[in-house]
Amino acid sequence: MKPDAVHDVLFDEAQIAGRVRVLAQEIAAVSQGPEPLTLVGVLRGSFIFLADLVRALHRQGVRARVDFMVLESYGSGSSSSGNVRLNKDISLDVRGQDVLLVDDILDSGRTLSFACRHLKELGARTVKACVLLDKPSRRAVPAHADFIGFTVPDEFIVGYGLDYNHAYRELPWIGRVPVEGP
Ligand code: IMP
Ligand code: MG
């Protein structure tokens, strides 16, 4: 599928930047402890969002450490199946630390619930979650994000880090692609 198959810009660059700024204000309001906040991004989808968010947090006076974990759900394309696999763990020691998990989109909830549980098992003092997008109609397991950029309908979303079969991550805006049914 070529980039011109991306239908409809849902959120343009200015809308995303404005929302990231407000999210950083919301996070800063509850993150003023003596220790830096440890941001843990879920790769690969979160890399652009996290890069913007950590700089927006800096402008709000929040000191941060950054690490990533690579999680994959079995299957590819637009459908993810039930299992989440940890392909690469974080390297930072999060014992006793306040962690902000950062992901691109909360869909079935499996990735987020797996990641939160894992970070708590590693000894994090608190784990809060920030997602750029939430698709609440798709939830299959209970999962909660403390900070949400935008709520989106049940459509396949790409751009600003989100992919369809590894394409479209580089788009500076967020759009949707038509996807054939199951
Ligand atoms: P969950 O585990 O079902 O909540 O899925 C979360 C992961 O599935 C996200 O981190 C994305 O990588 C991927 N995903 C779910 N919905 C979409 C979408 O609409 N576009 C792109 N990726 C998606
Ligand atoms: Mg992802």
Side-chain angles (χ1 to χ4, degrees):
M1 204 180 296
K2 296 204 290 292
D4 60 9
V6 178
H7 287 205
D8 304 330
V9 175
L10 288 178
F11 307 108
D12 65 22
E13 290 187 63
Q15 285 173 297
I16 297 169
R19 191 67 192 118
V20 169
R21 198 177 317 118
V22 174
L23 280 175
Q25 288 166 356
E26 293 173 6
I27 295 164
V30 293
S31 310
Q32 299 297 355
E35 299 281 330
L37 182 63
T38 303
L39 270 62
V40 174
V42 179
L43 291 177
R44 292 176 284 272
S46 72
F47 75 110
I48 294 179
F49 177 43
L50 189 145
D52 283 344
L53 185 65
V54 73
R55 287 175 288 179
L57 285 168
H58 168 77
R59 292 181 199 110
Q60 299 299 320
V62 176
R63 285 178 307 129
R65 306 191 301 164
V66 175
D67 205 343
F68 293 95
M69 57 171 71
V70 180
L71 295 182
E72 298 202 351
S73 42
Y74 295 78
S76 64
S78 63
S79 63
S80 65
S81 62
N83 294 311
V84 178
R85 176 172 51 203
L86 179 66
N87 273 4
K88 187 201 159 290
D89 207 347
I90 57 170
S91 325
L92 289 177
D93 184 357
V94 293
R95 282 175 296 177
Q97 302 291 312
D98 294 319
V99 173
L100 183 69
L101 181 69
V102 180
D103 203 0
D104 54 357
I105 185 164
L106 178 50
D107 188 40
S108 74
R110 291 190 182 96
T111 303
L112 196 76
S113 73
F114 178 98
C116 285
R117 195 175 341 114
H118 180 65
L119 290 165
K120 282 181 192 146
E121 282 166 6
L122 290 176
R125 192 178 79 87
T126 62
V127 180
K128 289 195 168 76
C130 177
V131 294
L132 174 66
L133 303 171
D134 182 19
K135 241 192 245 181
S137 58
R138 296 257 305 168
R139 207 74 84 247
V141 301
H144 167 77
D146 301 273
F147 308 98
I148 293 168
F150 303 100
T151 299
V152 292
D154 184 9
E155 291 180 275
F156 205 78
I157 312 293
V158 295
Y160 197 68
L162 290 100
D163 74 306
Y164 178 66
N165 275 344
H166 302 284
Y168 307 125
R169 291 195 199 276
E170 70 277 21
L171 300 178
W173 36 269
I174 295 169
R176 54 186 153 198
V177 287
V179 171
E180 285 134 43

